[in-house]
Amino acid sequence: QVHLQESGPGLVKPSQTLSLTCSVSGASINSGGYYWSWIRQHPGKGLEWIGYIYYSGSTYYNPSLKSRLTISIDKSKNQFSLKLSSVTAADTAVYYCARDQNGHSSYDYWGQGTLVTVSS
Amino acid sequence: QTVVTQEPSFSVSPGETVTLTCGLSTGSVSTSNYPSWYQQTPGQTPRALIYTTNTRSSGVPDRFSGSILGNKAALTITGAQAEDESDYYCVLYMGGGISVFGGGTKLTVL
């Protein structure tokens, strides 16, 4: 069974960098065929596509976040990560990592989500 | 910027059929947008229902089906049940590796 688990600080100060890691078990990030994704949900709002990384290192980002966003992969740890710089209160959200089957937002496995609050 | 549109809310009586739609602010939805649908109850992780227009995710009851209706993607629940009361999100692939979620539809079954 594939399992994804987000980890990282739950509180980040404005203007700092939000960093999250998604640990994957039950599947190898390095095996290819899947796109390792980040999605977020502002409190009480809908889902927002953040972006994804392929095992080759290719990345695709939400244009509205692209200037602040980096998604990276650590094959040795079977993890992938998200860094979002210069955060504001508008970045307060539940952040989910997920596995996309085809790069077209066909998510078959999700992490449980982690709430990140941006506040001083 | 293209917006993915969904009905904000919908009500259905138990046993009835309901169709939720997913459109684009400019243009038509086609199979090339690979529409997918997710169900989310409050406080829970989204659950996949339909991938790439009409492929049902493993374990999803066959009362859920996906299609293209006119210029929109559609999720049809045939014989809605009380446990189907949830938020439903569609997501469309826009090309260039980019996807966009709709704003979601809150479905009430009463």
Side-chain angles (χ1 to χ4, degrees), chain A residues 26-102:
Chain A
S28 172
I29 285 181
N30 200 30
S31 63
Y34 297 99
Y35 300 76
W36 304 94
S37 304
W38 290 98
I39 297 133
R40 71 180 181 180
Q41 186 167 33
H42 296 102
K45 302 297 184 183
L47 300 169
E48 180 180 20
W49 184 83
I50 295 175
Y52 66 72
I53 188 166
Y54 194 52
Y55 82 106
S56 62
S58 298
T59 53
Y60 294 89
Y61 297 155
N62 185 323
S64 69
L65 300 172
K66 189 173 183 177
S67 63
R68 302 190 290 130
L69 179 63
T70 302
I71 298 177
S72 59
I73 201 164
D74 187 335
K75 297 174 188 176
S76 66
K77 294 182 179 179
N78 217 37
Q79 296 175 336
F80 61 106
S81 299
L82 171 151
K83 290 187 187 298
L84 186 65
S85 63
S86 305
V87 296
T88 70
D91 294 308
T92 293
V94 174
Y95 286 77
Y96 295 100
C97 59
R99 188 178 81 167
D100 182 350
Q101 299 177 80
N102 53 23

Side-chain angles (χ1 to χ4, degrees), chain B:
Chain B
Q1 183 177 345
T2 301
V3 174
V4 176
T5 61
Q6 295 185 249
E7 299 87 359
S9 62
F10 225 115
S11 289
V12 63
S13 298
E16 291 191 343
T17 294
V18 61
T19 296
L20 311 181
T21 67
C22 176
L24 288 169
S25 57
T26 55
S28 299
V29 177
S30 72
T31 55
S32 297
N33 294 115
Y34 302 92
S36 294
W37 292 89
Y38 297 88
Q39 178 190 53
Q40 187 183 36
T41 53
Q44 299 298 311
T45 298
R47 168 201 182 196
L49 294 176
I50 301 289
Y51 302 128
T52 56
T53 306
N54 56 14
T55 301
R56 203 175 295 116
S57 179
S58 176
V60 172
D62 60 8
R63 66 178 182 274
F64 292 92
S65 61
S67 64
I68 300 290
L69 285 181
N71 62 351
K72 296 183 179 182
L75 174 71
T76 299
I77 308 173
T78 303
Q81 300 186 6
E83 64 257 35
D84 298 334
E85 184 162 296
S86 296
D87 295 326
Y88 291 85
Y89 294 95
C90 70
V91 58
L92 301 178
Y93 178 69
M94 300 301 187
I98 308 299
S99 291
V100 179
F101 279 95
T105 297
K106 183 177 182 63
L107 180 67
T108 301
V109 181
L110 48 71

